[in-house]
Each structure stands twice: as C-alpha cells, then as structure tokens.
Amino acid sequence: MLIRSPKTWELPTAAVTPEALYRLTQRRDFLKTAGVGLAGAAFFRSAPLLSAATAGFPAKENPAFPAAKLKPTAEDYITSYNNFYEFGTGKDEPKVFANKGWKTDPWTIELAGLVNKPAKFDVNELVKKIGGIEERVYRFRCVEAWSMVIPWDGFPLAKLIALADPKPEAKFVKFTSFNDPNSAPGQRQANLDYPYVEGLRMDEAAHELAFMATGLYGKPLPNQNGAPIRLVTPWKYGFKNIKSVVKIEFTTTQPKNTWNIMQAGEYGFYANVNPKVDHPRWSQASERIIGGGLFSGSQATLMFNGYEKEVAPLYKGLDLVKNY
Ligand code: MTE
C-alpha cells in the first residue's frame, strides 16, 4: 500500500464523503429539536452578507438556461457549503470568516496584458459598461465528487474579452484572485500558494458558456461565494471557477493554476468534468447531490457536466486522459 503523508493544502479524501453535509443536517435537526424552528433558520440565512456588486439587479433569466430545466439547489446550501481556502479549509468556514470585516466594496478589476484597451474598472462600472447582467442556471460539479445547481447572475466572459480587445498574439487568459492576508486567515496560514490563480485557453474563455458571476439567487454574490465577481465555467471542475477576481490578463503562454501548482498529479489545467477519468484517489463516475438527501442524493456524472454538445468541439483531437 502506498503511504502518503498528507499535506495541509491537500484536498482531503474525506471531502468526497458526506461528513460536512452530515454536520449541516445535524445542525438543522438540532435547531428543530431545540425548538428554535423557523426563527432560528431565518437567523442562519440572514447571517451578515456584506456584498458588493449591486449593479444590474434584478436580472432577467436567459431563456437558454432556465430554472425550469434544472432544479436549483436550496440557497442555504449554496451559501453555507463552500470551498474558499482564503477563509479556511472547512466547508462551513468561508461563511463565517469571509464575513468578518473583509471588504468587497469598492472593488477594482484590471484588464491587462496583450490587449488594445488595458483598463481598471470599479466592478459596478464594469457591469454598466458591459450592458447589465442576466440569470443563468448552471450545473456545478466539484472535483471532490459533489454537485449543485446554481442560479447565477452575471454576464458572458466573451463581453469582457470584447471590451479588452485582445491582440492576435493573446492565446490564453489568466485570472488572479485577491491577496489580503490581513482579512483572509487562510492566506496568513499559507494553506495554499496565494494569490489563487487560474487560466483558460482563449477559445474556452470566449465560449458562450463561460460566465462572470456577480450574483446568485437574484442577489449580489455573498462574500463566501466569491464576491464581488468570479468565474463560472460549468463544464469544468469547480476549482477552475476562481473567486473574487482582481485581474484578468491576456498572455501567449499557458497560465499556471493554483491546484495544479499544489499537486500536478491530481489537478490539471483543463479540469473538464469527465466520468471516465478518475481522480487518483477517488472515482469521478458518480457525484453526491448537495441537498439531495443522504441516501438517495447521488447521480451519474455527465461528460463535460452535461454540456458536451456545447463544448466537445473545443477539445477535438485532444487526449482527455493526458490533459485532465
Ligand atoms: N477561488 C479562490 N480564490 N479560492 C478558493 O479556494 N476554491 C475553488 C473555487 N474557486 C477557491 C476558488 C473550488 S475548489 C471550488 S469547488 C469552488 O470555488 C467552490 O465555489 P462555491 O464555494 O461557491 O461552491
């Protein structure tokens, strides 16, 4: 048997078990039995959410991605079960520690690198310049083999690319998250290499599904979900969906991405959802549905997370086993 020494930054194998979900459910059961009932539940839901990019709300649903087609996960789960290592490695930590004085308003985002129109925008100004926001309901699949359905508010990344007007040499897009150890306890502990970075190939970034979210469930993004602006690429594992972006840069070379830097054998650059390519420590053939119930909440993983028809042409001729 291979004995590995677990590193502090390693996504634990336990993450694929329902342990954290158990804790959430138990907390609810506790509230019920303690007679805290609805008032208590409302208190949990209305925990301080100090967000940020308010421009454009309320957004209209994009009829191509309707809530009627996919049943959205309850808002409470989406905003309480998070991966945001800047605010701790536990699923319930970001909701607590990202709402203890971390300021996401005002927020500046920079467009830089190989572009004709480098610029810095306040995120609300950017939304206005882009022409507003829309709602899209997307599947969300974490590499840890759990999934949700999230009603996002935001705008297509392609619109932001058009605004930056990239030069022909630009082949990739690099995303950088914030760096503020004073506000982010996980950065003080250096539980990952910070700032968190991600990247896409230019054609992936320009694809109609690639989205910049500024909200969910019709409201500005809660801090724990990556306020005030984050990337959403629904056909890729969740770690590509970088939160709280401060810089978008156009480059000639493939950008590094945080989880690949931390553990290249387990997390690649592409990170396309693929039921046939297992994670070295667990299967990707099925996924646990967050909020789906403890015993019946599992389903088969779909190729490209159900977006095969739309994105498969991007990867024609690419070996998806090697390029995981
Ligand atoms: N972005 C930053 N800056 N820091 C992170 O730790 N975690 C990633 C991704 N983006 C992460 C991040 C991972 S592993 C996942 S699964 C998703 O955010 C989780 O998004 P959610 O908490 O909104 O569900």
Side-chain angles (χ1 to χ4, degrees):
M1 199 173 89
L2 180 67
I3 300 179
R4 317 171 72 249
S5 55
K7 314 230 171 30
T8 51
W9 39 260
E10 218 168 52
L11 276 180
T13 308
V16 300
T17 74
E19 186 204 326
L21 189 56
Y22 259 112
R23 266 193 275 138
L24 252 184
T25 315
Q26 279 167 348
R27 189 183 292 168
R28 284 210 185 100
D29 290 348
F30 166 76
L31 284 177
K32 251 190 247 159
T33 45
V36 182
L38 272 183
F43 170 77
F44 266 97
R45 258 197 298 282
S46 62
L49 303 176
L50 314 164
S51 204
T54 51
F57 289 93
K60 269 208 199 114
E61 181 182 89
N62 180 330
F65 310 100
K69 221 164 127 194
L70 295 168
K71 187 172 171 286
T73 303
E75 184 180 356
D76 209 15
Y77 282 108
I78 299 173
T79 59
S80 309
Y81 187 81
N82 299 105
N83 273 336
F84 202 170
Y85 274 44
E86 285 87 337
F87 298 100
T89 56
K91 296 283 186 280
D92 50 359
E93 286 179 307
K95 181 170 179 174
V96 177
F97 295 108
N99 289 294
K100 280 198 166 165
W102 176 46
K103 291 219 165 24
T104 54
D105 179 27
W107 189 275
T108 303
I109 182 164
E110 183 180 0
L111 309 183
L114 297 166
V115 291
N116 291 315
K117 296 183 184 149
K120 283 185 184 175
F121 292 106
D122 170 75
V123 73
N124 282 310
E125 235 181 82
L126 175 67
V127 167
K128 285 179 203 150
K129 209 154 178 89
I130 291 273
I133 56 172
E134 59 181 66
E135 182 185 283
R136 293 184 180 195
V137 179
Y138 279 163
R139 296 173 202 276
F140 186 91
R141 171 61 156 81
C142 178
V143 74
E144 297 165 345
W146 52 261
S147 71
M148 299 190 190
V149 170
I150 304 182
W152 298 109
D153 300 278
F155 55 84
L157 176 55
K159 287 195 180 177
L160 189 146
I161 296 175
L163 192 68
D165 190 11
K167 297 183 174 170
E169 313 89 90
K171 296 286 181 274
F172 295 90
V173 186
K174 175 183 174 183
F175 300 82
T176 305
S177 188
F178 77 105
N179 198 22
D180 179 6
N182 285 332
S183 309
Q187 291 188 331
R188 289 200 294 279
Q189 291 154 9
N191 60 13
L192 287 180
D193 248 22
Y194 290 112
Y196 196 101
V197 286
E198 259 304 337
L200 294 172
R201 245 173 32 193
M202 195 67 173
D203 58 342
E204 296 179 310
H207 192 277
E208 60 155 339
L209 288 177
F211 200 63
M212 295 305 295
T214 59
L216 60 83
Y217 261 105
K219 289 173 272 187
L221 273 184
N223 282 359
Q224 63 269 32
N225 292 90
I229 187 163
R230 71 175 298 175
L231 176 66
V232 179
T233 47
W235 71 99
K236 292 181 178 285
Y237 290 122
F239 70 83
K240 296 294 290 182
N241 295 224
I242 181 172
K243 295 176 167 182
S244 308
V245 174
V246 296
K247 192 171 182 185
I248 299 181
E249 240 172 308
F250 295 76
T251 64
T252 50
T253 50
Q254 183 174 302
K256 291 193 178 335
N257 55 312
T258 294
W259 279 102
N260 181 253
I261 296 168
M262 301 314 296
Q263 217 164 355
E266 300 195 355
Y267 310 102
F269 173 78
Y270 282 94
N272 290 317
V273 176
N274 191 335
K276 288 181 249 138
V277 179
D278 286 338
H279 183 278
R281 291 181 282 139
W282 56 78
S283 163
Q284 294 292 21
S286 68
E287 62 200 32
R288 188 161 50 83
I289 306 165
I290 301 296
L294 287 180
F295 302 105
S296 56
S298 164
Q299 64 191 8
T301 304
L302 298 174
M303 186 65 201
F304 295 115
N305 202 24
Y307 300 97
E308 183 169 12
K309 191 163 68 85
E310 292 88 341
V311 302
L314 292 173
Y315 308 106
K316 237 176 125 191
L318 190 76
D319 182 338
L320 296 176
V321 175
K322 277 194 195 136
N323 297 282
Y324 54 91

